[in-house]
């Protein structure tokens, strides 16, 4: 299937402009708080890479929906997640972003001690508190799933179906639930991680990622590798479509030449192509033949979002000591270009010129689905 | 007319104290937002000096009433003002305070391109959007007037009469609408510009400028040049009155000696005098025989105001390479002294001691008119 | 009386957990504002050490209940307190934390001049304001008391009884109103003052001070000196009880050896013991045989508290040139350990895990009285 054929399948071209969300959705702290509760606390949230926690006792703390969530690998090698709050007087159990403990999580204030499974196992004078039920005072658990080598957590008491949300987003984009397995993402290793502190609302970052109308203007290096992006049609517009590499391109890298060999599972049909997937509300997955770029967003305030981006390669590539810099540089520049664009939009969201929002051109129309998804999620 | 004669004309001296605005007017963010909408967006606002934009394509961006306003000189050499927001997805068109473009304003996000007259002239794939009316998607215009070499803008859909507001304030102070023409302000050039970032509410700065009761206390250099200011009577108290230079003073400068010759249009009656004019809500004009000092305020927050102050001289003085430093230094010190006083008041505005406001002594009574103007403007 | 005997007197041991204040009490700016008005403006507030103002004209400015309060020693050597706001246009009279004036307080804006007793004594042109009653425009006074060498102020129009509040707290803790006199605190001199800027709500600091359940975990040096603290029973749990020094301890100091001789008034019964007293809402007094450690808290925001801590010694000790460092170091470390614990709790107060608050173990139950005192004070 070539890109020409794909275009032959496109629906009657739309010619109108349709509205975006109103400006207040990007600037109002009360709406952000509502999103924290109704979007980020209710949905599965990609919180970390499983390999960030390689051994029992390793932990990470991440900000999810306004909560500090503590993820820790147990003695049984299982990962578990908890609210990072001691049940006694509310101290943060772990202040660092990551680290490791031995057999338990001990609060540094009064030494209440929890197992790595969250159970209260000891506290000074606890034995003299006859009527204290230890089960009642364990750490508050947070739902956790592992998929694609990623730790997904959900703060909701009754999390939505993982299959119907996260996995459906991926299969809906690739056309089939099995396709993503070709890249073997859970077996890949982190070759490079870059964390971006973006002064923009998280939805600007999603909307930016979902369309390629901006590619010709701000991504010269990317359009060199993926010439069809210069036409402005989004990689995510057509189910199953991946943007094809340019004729002379031999690697998804800043020089278009540096690759590390097609991943074992990637077939000819998916080789020499770039696939972009958005998993609402905060994950972007970028598939290329020899690596995967995985974005996790952490919304911190109505006008600030932390983005953690992993470049994932086979362990054998990392072991070989290969120079990843040209490979990483391409999407690092794309990230910088995109986030700068988002930061340029943020201050204008409060203008009366944007009170009713802006407009989406036809090649951006699919962003309307994201707009509606957000609006539905926060409506009463 | 000497200052003595003027005093003979003064009304029966008031002996009472009258109230200022209550403290909350200087500290409440909601009241500031109301002022942005009802004062700064509704009135003519001195946004820039026309000569800041000497050629086609030169632009400045300024903060007016909470909006970023983009002022640009067109190919036809006319100045126009727009909201600095792309109609497509809301990116700021220009992020810098000033700069220049060639023939158009192109949004750096998706390359929507506007003429210097604000019309949408191009966008990627625009031709395929058959039903998109380009006129509908031009930049949102802002009313603009030039007077006194100054660019005045108004965000209101129906701006008030320029003659009845800005020009009336000037003629009301000088006693005659033609008097201001004597200084030929539109022909003067910027010899020096100093920008002050003042941690005080804009009204404290206006109230400070309107009275001279503080001059003896904080302006030793100014009262040396204008001895009558030591008595505390405001330069703005009497229509048409200008404070007379001291006997030995030969220039309005830090040494009292440095002048550059009386401006061609200034007659004997107005020579050797200082005239201060307040144009609500954010302009101060200071007239002396050989130059003009022009303040434009940009309220940024309830407790922060940017003040841009221009020292204006004939082009011939600048061309002569004359040393302006002594001339500039006098009012630069006055500015520093005044703004420090305002910053000293700001933190006390929230005290219960100021909940009902402070008091105006008789020589400050005319500030009551400003107080009433503000109160009227923001009332329902 | 030994600590064993004291424990024999303890009531039937409680075995249950009781609730703390809900998390919002530590994070909601509106509740903090309510506390400012109903707690810090209504109660006696320890604002300074009398000896900070040794001579006429010496002043200190302190933040009390959201107000800047100016304390100044008059020509008659009496201390007085005023709101630090000029009655004319609201300028802060004194911007510095401390300093000295000569015979009067002159506003640096318009030179309104007040006696050290707060009376308006001069202002430019004041004589021409015939109907201005000078008494009406004096500085706004704040109630002031001196006790324990400390300046206590109260912003309320009708301050509560000093005896029934401040003094009752001290005698209630020590079992007798006269006991505190043994340390002769008003005669002691400040050997060292350390000011801490704590990123935590003031109530976390009070609650921390009131219990010793954390001592074993975070205060190794203190429990070395006071072994019974290792058991977690609060020094404040039993009326009249002071924690006994360890057998080998000869001084309340970081090495347990450095002391300066028991204060003249301290009898054998109170020697070799540590007494801790909380005076709601913002004072901690720590009594040891040879010195006194006196904490004054200044709540600045819902999540920020300044703590000023004085180490007080007899003047003769200071005059002797004795090295105070080991003596100061012990409680300086305790302060650092405690405030770090409070800062560890602050960010978790907004978690849904703490929405209903945490729990108090039996040895912390007396904190429930503080909890109820706060809740009562801010309720309608």
């Amino acid at each position: 299937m070539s890109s020409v054929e794909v275009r032959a399948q496109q629906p009657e071209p739309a010619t109108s402009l349709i509205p975006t969300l109103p400006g207040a959705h990007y600037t109002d702290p009360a709406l952000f708080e509502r999103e924290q509760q109704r979007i980020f606390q209710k949905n599965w949230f990609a919180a970390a890479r499983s390999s960030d926690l390689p051994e029992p006792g390793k932990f990470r703390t991440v900000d999810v929906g306004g909560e500090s969530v503590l993820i820790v690998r147990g003695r049984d090698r299982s990962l578990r997640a908890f609210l990072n709050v001691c049940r006694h007087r509310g101290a943060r159990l772990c202040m660092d972003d990551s680290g490791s403990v031995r057999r338990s999580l001990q609060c540094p204030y009064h030494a209440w001690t929890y197992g790595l499974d969250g159970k209260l196992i000891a506290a000074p004078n606890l034995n003299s508190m006859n009527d204290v039920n230890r089960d009642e005072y364990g750490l508050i658990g947070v739902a956790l799933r592992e998929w694609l080598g990623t730790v997904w957590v959900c703060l909701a008491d009754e999390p939505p179906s993982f299959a119907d949300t996260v996995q459906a987003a991926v299969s809906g984009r690739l056309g089939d639930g099995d396709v993503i397995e070709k890249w073997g993402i859970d077996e890949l290793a982190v070759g490079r991680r870059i964390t971006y502190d973006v002064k923009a609302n998280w939805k600007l970052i999603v909307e930016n990622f979902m369309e390629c109308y901006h590619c010709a203007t701000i991504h010269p290096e990317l359009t060199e590798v993926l010439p069809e992006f210069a036409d402005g049609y989004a990689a995510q517009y057509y189910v199953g479509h991946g943007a094809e590499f340019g004729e002379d391109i031999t690697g998804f890298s800043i020089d278009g030449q540096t690759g590390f060999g097609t991943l074992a599972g990637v077939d000819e049909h998916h080789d020499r192509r770039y696939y972009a997937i958005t998993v609402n509300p905060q994950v972007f997955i970028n598939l290329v033949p020899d690596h995967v770029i995985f974005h996790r967003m952490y919304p911190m305030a109505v006008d600030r979002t932390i983005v953690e981006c992993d470049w994932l390669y086979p362990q054998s590539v990392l072991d070989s000591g290969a120079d990843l810099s040209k490979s990483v540089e391409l999407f690092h520049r794309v990230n910088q270009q995109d986030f700068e664009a988002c930061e340029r939009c943020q201050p204008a969201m409060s203008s009366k010129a944007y009170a009713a929002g802006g407009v989406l051109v036809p090649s951006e129309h699919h962003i309307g689905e994201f707009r509606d998804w957000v609006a539905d999620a926060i409506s009463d």
Side-chain angles (χ1 to χ4, degrees), chain A:
Chain A
M1 193 209 290
S2 80
S3 63
V4 172
E5 286 168 341
V6 165
R7 282 178 196 164
Q9 297 169 357
Q10 78 176 80
E12 195 63 24
T15 58
S16 59
L17 305 182
I18 63 170
T20 68
L21 288 165
H25 283 248
Y26 305 87
T27 61
D28 182 349
L31 277 175
F32 179 73
E33 182 52 33
R34 204 176 175 91
E35 290 174 344
Q36 291 281 55
Q37 289 172 22
R38 302 201 180 191
I39 293 178
F40 296 104
Q41 294 191 3
K42 294 297 183 208
N43 285 283
W44 288 99
F45 187 107
R49 181 96 188 134
S50 298
S51 63
D52 294 346
L53 308 127
E55 299 141 29
K58 289 281 182 186
F59 70 82
R60 272 199 71 181
T61 59
V62 286
D63 290 300
V64 180
E67 293 284 351
S68 176
V69 171
L70 172 62
I71 304 165
V72 65
R73 191 175 294 280
R75 309 303 302 174
D76 60 358
R77 307 198 69 83
S78 294
L79 290 172
R80 292 180 188 82
F82 308 103
L83 295 182
N84 184 12
V85 180
C86 180
R87 296 300 302 281
H88 171 220
R89 296 268 299 283
R92 277 257 175 283
L93 291 168
C94 300
M95 294 290 271
D96 294 329
D97 289 344
S98 63
S100 64
V101 295
R102 287 181 60 80
R103 298 195 155 263
S104 62
L105 293 158
Q106 186 174 69
C107 178
Y109 194 176
H110 300 85
W112 279 38
T113 306
Y114 304 88
L116 300 186
D117 59 358
K119 284 193 188 125
L120 178 63
I121 54 179
N125 305 329
L126 184 64
N127 293 333
S128 66
M129 306 176 208
N130 304 322
D131 64 352
V132 175
N133 181 342
R134 292 180 192 207
D135 294 338
E136 251 183 80
Y137 293 97
L139 297 179
I140 294 176
V142 172
L144 183 147
R145 282 288 301 265
E146 288 186 86
W147 189 56
L148 305 181
T150 297
V151 184
W152 308 74
V153 299
C154 182
L155 288 160
D157 292 331
E158 298 186 20
S161 157
F162 193 81
D164 293 349
T165 56
V166 175
Q167 291 172 325
V170 173
S171 60
R173 167 70 191 94
L174 295 178
D176 181 331
D178 294 334
V179 178
I180 190 72
E181 302 302 334
K182 297 179 189 291
W183 281 265
I185 299 179
D186 52 352
E187 295 296 323
L188 299 180
V190 178
R192 181 79 185 276
R193 172 172 293 172
I194 301 179
T195 301
Y196 304 86
D197 194 337
V198 187
K199 300 286 177 291
N201 184 272
W202 66 279
K203 298 188 295 298
L204 290 174
I205 300 175
V206 174
E207 290 158 352
N208 168 278
F209 186 77
M210 290 183 80
E211 51 93 358
C212 205
Y213 186 50
H214 66 270
C215 291
T217 311
I218 72 174
H219 297 318
E221 302 88 351
L222 185 64
T223 52
E224 189 73 24
V225 172
L226 304 172
E228 70 184 77
F229 272 14
D231 297 335
Y233 287 93
Q236 300 187 56
Y237 205 93
Y238 311 107
V239 171
H241 176 62
E244 199 168 11
F245 286 12
E247 270 185 30
D248 303 335
I249 299 300
T250 58
F252 190 80
S253 63
I254 196 69
D255 62 3
Q257 308 301 322
T258 308
F260 301 105
T262 301
L263 295 168
V266 174
D267 57 26
E268 197 180 350
H269 177 72
H270 293 91
D271 199 2
R272 294 185 55 75
R273 287 183 182 273
Y274 163 82
Y275 295 85
I277 306 167
T278 304
V279 182
N280 286 347
Q282 48 84 250
V283 168
F284 309 145
I285 308 172
N286 307 269
L287 308 172
V288 292
D290 64 333
H291 65 284
V292 168
I293 304 154
F294 200 110
H295 294 79
R296 293 179 297 277
M297 294 199 296
Y298 303 86
M300 303 304 286
V302 72
D303 56 0
R304 181 177 170 226
T305 308
I306 301 283
V307 184
E308 198 169 70
C309 183
D310 287 344
W311 280 257
L312 306 173
Y313 300 87
Q315 186 61 48
S316 59
V317 169
L318 303 191
D319 291 344
S320 74
D323 178 5
L324 304 177
S325 61
K326 287 194 172 65
S327 180
V328 168
E329 181 67 12
L330 177 56
F331 225 87
H332 174 48
R333 283 205 202 168
V334 170
N335 283 341
Q336 290 177 310
Q337 292 154 348
D338 280 337
F339 301 156
E340 187 187 337
C342 295
E343 291 184 340
R344 177 181 275 276
C345 291
Q346 183 64 36
M349 295 294 101
S350 59
S351 171
K352 66 179 183 178
Y354 211 77
V359 290
L360 300 170
V361 302
S363 63
E364 297 171 319
H365 274 199
H366 56 296
I367 297 178
E369 291 171 33
F370 171 69
R371 175 198 63 201
D372 295 343
W373 183 88
V374 169
D376 281 357
I378 63 172
S379 69
D380 286 311

